[in-house]
Amino acid sequence: DTGVSQNPRHKITKRGQNVTFRCDPISEHNRLYWYRQTLGQGPEFLTYFQNEAQLEKSRLLSDRFSAERPKGSFSTLEIQRTEQGDSAMYLCASSLALGDEAFFGQGTRLTVV
Amino acid sequence: AQSVTQLDSQVPVFEEAPVELRCNYSSSVSVYLFWYVQYPNQGLQLLLKYLSGSTLVESINGFEAEFNKSQTSFHLRKPSVHISDTAEYFCAVRQGAQKLVFGQGTRLTINP
């Protein structure tokens, strides 16, 4: 297993465009998390799934953001009508439901111009 | 809600010198504490964790952290740093169902 995989690694988009990121977790992990990290800050929790169910969403996740995990495996995070303030590193992590460690992917760096 | 404060945003040290990165948390319940390391343009890697038991936890690359309940701290230490330790270090507390609350990070810079 190669760990948590995120694609793309980098994305530059114009303001107002929609973008979608993909996360492939470690195969046996039931839980999948999305975090956002802005420059000079620690990651901030956005949402998490257990299998295909989205169990918690942060207030940071505005209605322009939507996350899915349709078959309980990979997940997508879509941002509609991007704004410059959406520029950040988007990190995905996965863990076992009863485990104690979350494994992070390398992130997708979004730049909105 | 739990929170984490990393008291130093940047820590410059000379190679082979000791270092301490400070972390304080706020929580009224049992805590699970973590230190993650982030190299440039990379994701986070777990360095060490405290879940229960011994209050002193160690990593394989010489870092250690001590859980101090009375001072609500989980400071990270290394007796002798190497150039390769240059990175950003994040302290985190687990809240609820494995959601992590991170501090702001401390950038460790090693000077030769």
Side-chain angles (χ1 to χ4, degrees):
Chain A
D1 189 279
T2 57
V4 178
S5 176
Q6 291 188 247
N7 288 288
R9 291 290 310 279
H10 304 274
K11 178 71 176 179
I12 301 174
T13 191
K14 292 183 178 180
R15 189 173 48 188
Q17 297 294 306
N18 300 343
V19 293
T20 300
F21 311 139
R22 177 178 170 126
C23 172
D24 288 271
I26 294 172
S27 58
E28 63 268 27
H29 284 184
N30 297 326
R31 293 193 176 185
L32 186 147
Y33 310 81
W34 285 100
Y35 289 83
R36 181 174 70 185
Q37 185 180 20
T38 53
L39 204 60
Q41 299 297 317
E44 297 172 293
F45 171 79
L46 292 178
T47 188
Y48 98 91
F49 293 83
Q50 179 158 326
N51 300 315
E52 66 276 8
Q54 189 173 17
L55 296 185
E56 187 175 349
K57 292 195 290 186
S58 162
R59 284 173 292 179
L60 293 175
L61 212 66
S62 76
D63 55 7
R64 295 185 299 106
F65 287 69
S66 63
E68 295 182 343
R69 195 183 183 197
K71 298 181 180 179
S73 57
F74 73 91
S75 175
T76 57
L77 177 67
E78 181 183 16
I79 308 174
Q80 295 182 326
R81 305 181 303 282
T82 52
E83 302 172 356
Q84 286 189 320
D86 297 331
S87 295
M89 175 82 90
Y90 290 84
L91 294 165
C92 176
S94 70
S95 71
L96 289 167
L98 297 178
D100 54 24
E101 178 181 347
F103 293 82
F104 282 81
Q106 293 188 310
T108 294
R109 182 170 295 283
L110 173 66
T111 303
V112 181
V113 297
Chain B
Q2 293 162 320
S3 66
V4 175
T5 301
Q6 291 183 244
L7 297 162
D8 306 294
S9 59
Q10 296 187 58
V11 173
V13 295
F14 288 106
E15 194 172 15
E16 298 183 3
V19 70
E20 178 180 79
L21 307 183
R22 296 179 292 170
C23 171
N24 287 87
Y25 65 92
S26 69
S27 174
S28 58
V29 298
S30 297
V31 292
Y32 303 108
L33 294 157
F34 304 80
W35 276 99
Y36 281 85
V37 59
Q38 186 176 36
Y39 299 102
N41 297 313
Q42 299 294 315
L44 281 73
Q45 299 173 30
L46 181 68
L47 194 59
L48 44 74
K49 61 189 177 187
Y50 170 78
L51 304 178
S52 63
S54 173
T55 57
L56 185 66
V57 291
E58 299 177 348
S59 72
I60 58 173
N61 57 355
F63 283 94
E64 64 179 30
E66 185 162 18
F67 169 58
N68 188 320
K69 187 174 182 179
S70 62
Q71 297 187 2
T72 61
S73 68
F74 190 55
H75 301 333
L76 181 70
R77 302 184 183 95
K78 188 171 185 180
S80 176
V81 294
H82 188 266
I83 289 283
S84 61
D85 293 323
T86 297
E88 187 126 22
Y89 292 79
F90 293 95
C91 182
V93 61
R94 196 169 86 191
Q95 179 174 317
Q98 298 187 329
K99 179 175 72 176
L100 293 170
V101 176
F102 287 89
Q104 305 92 318
T106 298
R107 184 173 300 279
L108 177 62
T109 306
I110 313 297
N111 298 308

